[in-house]
């Protein structure tokens, strides 16, 4: 019906934000327009693969649950609201055939559950498993929405993963009485609006949206928190070394010395440490002689750098990969001494 939908647009502005984003064609649009595209694609192109939308916030009363309830009324029997345990259970008949699956209060610790969600978000077929019945292969067009109060660690996301669209939802500052009822009443007008609306984005990648559009600060933070503890320790150690030795633009150090000297005989063995570095694109150079800085000799007037010689195959670490030089300069310029 051609009726009002103003409050729904305001709600989308709250959930998705109003910051401007530049599209591939150079056109600038407010970010919430991507949210409108997402819903419009769900309605008009249900077979299209879409990113896994994640709405997170530590704060309560942000509108995440209201958004899920609104979607349930919009898609009715074509949407299921489930819990984390549903993905661990082998029986899936109550949600596997839906278009949209919303997971409330998400906190997924098990890697196989993460992989299951990622796989189903791009699968064309899967097995429907009901109690007391044989498994049946069915077509699937699943889209996932994850809601969580755990901003930083509700799920592990690999640094190269492109399937997740994570948004931090702020608290609602100006509350509207009976907001849910108003949103529900506006659904007919909103659907009419989407029926004639032109998409602002175009099909650029498998999950429709260009990956660059989905890069948010909270997503990068989650990816950082998802890194192996060994890499976090190593990254911190190397940053400290570069700060201790400001003249060093790179550090060459063999694996054994890295573990025993820099990381002080860490609990991680050399095999695992080597694999972690390999996963991050580091490879050892050919056998050579060299040195790496170890400490500062404060007994001399010039605070001389103490070095240790090596004969082996070193890893090469660049200062620019571990220290934000501009940020360090800014901090030093603010110091009162």
């Amino acid at each position: 019906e051609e009726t009002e939908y103003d409050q729904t647009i305001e709600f989308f502005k709250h959930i998705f934000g109003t910051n401007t984003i530049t599209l591939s064609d150079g056109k600038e649009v407010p970010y919430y327009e991507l949210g409108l595209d997402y819903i419009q694609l769900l309605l008009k192109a249900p077979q299209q693969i879409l990113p896994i939308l994640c709405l997170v916030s530590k704060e309560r009363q942000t509108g995440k649950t209201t958004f899920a309830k609104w979607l349930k009324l919009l898609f009715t029997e074509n949407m299921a609201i489930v819990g984390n345990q549903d993905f661990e259970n082998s029986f899936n008949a109550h949600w596997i055939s839906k278009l949209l699956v919303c997971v409330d209060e998400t906190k997924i610790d098990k890697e196989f559950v993460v992989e299951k969600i990622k796989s189903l978000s791009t699968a064309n077929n899967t097995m429907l498993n009901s109690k007391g019945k044989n498994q049946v292969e069915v077509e699937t067009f699943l889209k996932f929405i994850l809601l969580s109060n755990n901003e930083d660690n509700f799920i592990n996301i690999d640094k190269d993963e492109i399937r997740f669209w994570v948004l931090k939802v702020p608290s609602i500052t100006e509350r509207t009485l009976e907001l849910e009822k108003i949103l529900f009443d506006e659904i007919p007008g909103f659907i009419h609006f989407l029926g004639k609306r032109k998409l602002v984005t175009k099909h650029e990648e498998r999950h429709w949206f260009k990956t660059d559009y989905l890069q948010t600060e909270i997503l990068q933070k989650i990816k950082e928190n998802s890194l192996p503890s060994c890499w976090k320790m190593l990254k911190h150690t190397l940053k400290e070394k570069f700060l201790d030795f400001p003249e060093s633009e790179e550090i060459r150090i063999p694996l054994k010395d890295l573990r025993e000297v820099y990381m002080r005989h860490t609990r991680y063995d050399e095999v695992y440490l080597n694999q972690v570095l390999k996963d991050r694109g580091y490879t050892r150079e050919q056998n050579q002689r060299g040195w790496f800085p170890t400490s500062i000799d404060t007994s001399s007037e010039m605070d001389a750098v103490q070095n240790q010689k090596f004969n082996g195959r070193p890893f090469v670490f660049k200062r620019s990969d571990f220290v934000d030089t501009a940020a360090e300069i800014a901090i030093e310029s603010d110091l009162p001494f």
Side-chain angles (χ1 to χ4, degrees):
E1 299 175 11
E2 193 169 358
T3 55
E4 294 296 322
Y5 53 90
D6 295 347
Q7 194 63 53
T8 303
I9 297 298
E10 291 302 314
F11 188 57
F12 265 74
K13 291 179 180 179
H14 169 74
I15 295 292
F16 290 89
T18 56
N19 292 338
T20 301
I21 183 172
T22 303
L23 304 179
S24 299
D25 59 4
K27 183 180 179 181
E28 294 187 351
V29 298
Y31 202 74
Y32 75 88
E33 292 279 3
L34 274 63
L36 294 175
D37 275 11
Y38 178 85
I39 301 298
Q40 188 169 334
L41 288 165
L42 284 172
L43 283 166
K44 302 181 73 175
Q47 292 179 315
Q48 171 60 48
I49 293 173
L50 293 174
I52 301 169
L53 177 62
C54 308
L55 304 180
V56 302
S57 179
K58 291 179 181 177
E59 294 137 358
R60 305 286 177 172
Q61 297 183 321
T62 59
K64 300 191 303 293
T65 302
T66 299
F67 187 67
K69 291 179 180 178
W70 175 80
L71 285 171
K72 179 61 177 173
L73 282 183
L74 187 64
F75 291 97
T76 62
E77 293 304 310
N78 214 0
M79 175 180 174
I81 298 178
V82 302
N84 300 326
Q85 68 279 1
D86 288 281
F87 294 105
E88 300 181 36
N89 193 328
S90 60
F91 300 114
N92 57 17
H94 61 296
W95 60 269
I96 199 68
S97 62
K98 308 297 184 182
L99 168 70
L100 194 58
V101 174
C102 180
V103 189
D104 203 359
E105 298 300 329
T106 307
K107 181 67 170 75
I108 302 175
D109 298 315
K110 298 181 179 179
E111 189 63 28
F112 84 90
V113 176
V114 178
E115 293 302 319
K116 186 174 184 177
I117 291 175
K118 287 161 54 177
S119 175
L120 286 172
S121 71
T122 56
N124 295 321
N125 298 278
T126 192
M127 301 305 295
L128 185 151
N129 190 7
S130 302
K131 287 185 179 180
K133 297 181 180 180
N134 293 331
Q135 289 187 344
V136 180
E137 186 175 17
V138 295
E139 287 186 284
T140 180
F141 313 104
L142 285 169
K143 317 295 185 292
F144 290 97
I145 295 182
L146 311 183
L147 310 180
S148 182
N149 293 324
N150 296 287
E151 287 184 11
D152 304 335
N153 60 352
F154 74 98
I155 196 172
N156 282 334
I157 302 178
D158 187 79
K159 65 182 181 70
D160 297 320
E161 183 57 63
I162 62 173
R163 277 173 278 201
F164 289 88
W165 185 10
V166 186
L167 300 174
K168 182 176 179 178
V169 184
S171 294
I172 297 176
T173 53
E174 297 183 9
R175 303 199 177 280
T176 302
L177 293 176
E178 298 184 323
L179 174 61
E180 289 186 9
K181 183 180 184 305
I182 295 172
L183 292 176
F184 301 158
D185 290 343
E186 286 187 350
I187 285 177
F190 182 67
I191 293 177
H192 183 273
F193 157 69
L194 292 182
K196 61 182 181 180
R197 175 181 176 271
K198 183 179 179 181
L199 294 167
V200 300
T201 57
K202 58 184 179 181
H203 194 180
E204 296 189 74
E205 296 189 31
R206 188 182 185 188
H207 51 260
W208 184 274
F209 298 98
K210 188 177 180 181
T211 299
D212 291 349
Y213 302 164
L214 312 182
Q215 300 306 306
T216 60
E217 289 186 15
I218 191 66
L219 173 60
Q220 296 308 315
K221 190 173 183 180
I222 292 168
K223 286 185 175 183
E224 282 290 323
N225 290 334
S226 301
L227 295 173
S229 298
C230 177
W231 173 246
K232 293 179 186 178
M233 179 189 295
L234 177 58
K235 193 174 181 180
H236 175 75
T237 299
L238 288 167
K239 179 179 180 181
E240 290 295 311
K241 293 300 179 184
F242 278 115
L243 292 177
D244 288 342
F245 311 118
E247 300 301 320
S248 301
E249 290 301 319
E250 68 174 28
I251 292 177
R252 293 172 175 266
I253 183 170
L255 183 63
K256 182 179 180 181
D257 294 318
L258 179 65
R259 179 178 181 272
E260 295 181 359
V261 181
Y262 273 14
M263 302 183 75
R264 299 181 180 180
H265 295 276
T266 172
R267 66 182 184 274
Y268 303 111
D269 60 32
E270 288 185 24
V271 174
Y272 180 67
L273 187 57
N274 182 64
Q275 185 60 49
V276 168
L277 287 166
K278 184 178 179 181
D279 290 344
R280 267 134 205 95
Y282 289 94
T283 56
R284 287 187 283 184
E285 294 196 342
Q286 296 298 319
N287 195 70
Q288 58 190 260
R289 296 178 184 273
W291 53 266
F292 58 89
T294 56
S295 60
I296 301 291
D297 182 6
T298 56
S299 62
S300 65
E301 294 183 2
M302 301 300 293
D303 288 346
V305 175
Q306 301 295 301
N307 298 312
Q308 180 170 319
K309 294 180 179 179
F310 71 80
N311 181 6
R313 299 177 59 197
F315 284 101
V316 180
F317 302 102
K318 304 288 186 180
R319 169 181 289 274
S320 57
D321 293 333
F322 298 91
V323 177
D324 186 342
T325 306
E328 296 300 326
I329 293 174
I331 291 173
E332 290 181 6
S333 66
D334 288 338
L335 295 175
F337 48 83

